[in-house]
Amino acid sequence: MASDFETVAWDDLRLCLEVRRAGAVSTAARHLGISHSTVLRRIAAIERSLGVVLFVKRTDGYVATDAGRDLAEAAEEVEARIASAMTSAAAFEGGMSGMIRFAVPDLAATVLMPLLAAFCAAHRDVEISLLAAQTPERLTRGDAHVALTLTKSPPAGQIGVDLGQAAFAPYAARSALDRDKEQDLPWIGLTSGLRHTPVGGFDRLATAARHRLHRVGSLTMQYSAITGGLGVGLLPCAVGDLDARLQRCGEPVTDPSQRLWLLYRREMKGNVRIMTFFRHLRVALTRERLLIAGEKPMP
């Protein structure tokens, strides 16, 4: 069996990784730039070569077997090493200096800061300009080089990776829950100017069901109000689940029509600095898919 595993090329490993990440052959095919039938044919060839079953088709998509999971995890390690090697090579070539304009939802920036700090520590001649944006418009207008955004699909001229659905859940400060029951706490709702945000629709439904209400005019103020014990409100699970001051007060919700995308402008494809930054974020955020989807076990 060892000799069989030696025949698995990086392209095959990457294919298995994409299928496991997406849980769907069609999505994996789109990421890889090949056809649906090609993905199925290559999976079958890998399974014949290794003598194992890698994926099982179910009603909700393709699920990795133990062997498929092991192979995908090995591929993820290889991907991380390749990204690290390319980062080092880019820096050695002297291409890692200058500005990177990164558009990101302002609240998500709290989660991203450690990733940005690690990148800038490795590339001291790079400057990061963070732009607050809830939609891909800044990237479309050319204000940003890279964007993290919720959208149905990337606009024309933008390339990137689908990180899956982003979940939101109601949270309250543990200190507030020690004082009052969750249903007794006021709801921290959003003003009408934030109804267009991804959480806006969920917030409208929750607001209608509450008899006590406070409203805030920004997502960062909402976060501060919740952590400060003013009431309960909706936050991205990737933010709320990492904050030890907070506790979930309900089940996560997602918008099936919205996916979290990490994107860059097509004309940036040959820019060493931008693509190194994009790869750094892609590897780091892909590892946090369960956290983003609200499925990571709570500490």
Side-chain angles (χ1 to χ4, degrees), residues 45-287:
I46 299 167
E47 289 179 332
R48 285 195 303 271
S49 173
L50 300 178
V52 295
V53 175
L54 298 175
F55 297 96
V56 176
K57 185 178 181 181
R58 297 180 181 170
T59 55
D60 58 346
Y62 281 76
V63 178
T65 63
D66 288 344
R69 185 179 64 253
D70 289 346
L71 202 62
E73 288 175 354
E76 196 164 38
E77 292 179 9
V78 172
E79 181 185 59
R81 292 193 178 194
I82 290 174
S84 177
M86 293 183 72
T87 297
S88 299
F92 181 77
E93 291 171 0
M96 295 301 297
S97 63
M99 178 72 72
I100 297 176
R101 297 193 298 274
F102 183 30
V104 60
D106 52 358
L107 194 53
T110 61
V111 180
L112 291 169
M113 288 304 177
L115 305 182
L116 301 182
F119 182 83
C120 291
H123 307 291
R124 296 184 179 277
D125 292 329
V126 170
E127 299 176 21
I128 302 292
S129 176
L130 283 178
L131 310 172
Q134 306 296 333
T135 65
E137 290 177 359
R138 280 191 178 272
L139 201 61
T140 301
R141 294 199 305 261
D143 297 341
H145 299 126
V146 180
L148 181 68
T149 183
L150 277 168
T151 184
K152 294 180 180 179
S153 60
Q158 299 181 21
I159 304 172
V161 59
D162 178 356
L163 295 169
Q165 288 189 324
F168 299 83
Y171 291 87
R174 296 181 187 275
S175 58
L177 292 172
D178 289 340
R179 184 184 68 234
D180 296 302
K181 294 181 180 179
E182 182 271 328
Q183 59 266 30
D184 296 330
L185 292 173
W187 183 259
I188 308 299
L190 303 174
T191 57
S192 58
L194 294 172
R195 294 288 171 81
H196 69 286
T197 61
V199 74
F202 301 130
D203 179 71
R204 281 196 300 274
L205 294 175
T207 298
R210 294 279 175 158
H211 65 281
R212 296 177 64 203
L213 176 68
H214 300 303
R215 292 190 185 275
V216 292
S218 79
L219 297 179
T220 50
M221 281 196 287
Q222 181 194 39
Y223 181 43
S224 296
I226 296 170
T227 56
L230 188 59
V232 58
L234 283 171
L235 292 173
C237 292
V239 174
D241 286 354
L242 288 181
D243 195 324
R245 298 170 295 177
L246 300 178
Q247 180 174 311
R248 265 197 214 176
C249 299
E251 293 299 314
V253 292
T254 58
D255 181 350
S257 68
Q258 298 283 329
R259 311 283 291 184
L260 184 66
W261 285 84
L262 180 65
L263 300 167
Y264 64 88
R265 287 162 44 206
R266 187 183 300 275
E267 59 267 32
M268 293 290 104
K269 194 167 186 177
N271 187 298
V272 172
R273 181 177 69 258
I274 303 304
M275 296 314 301
T276 303
F277 180 70
F278 176 84
R279 285 192 293 269
H280 171 79
L281 290 179
R282 175 186 176 176
V283 171
L285 292 173
T286 297
R287 290 173 177 164

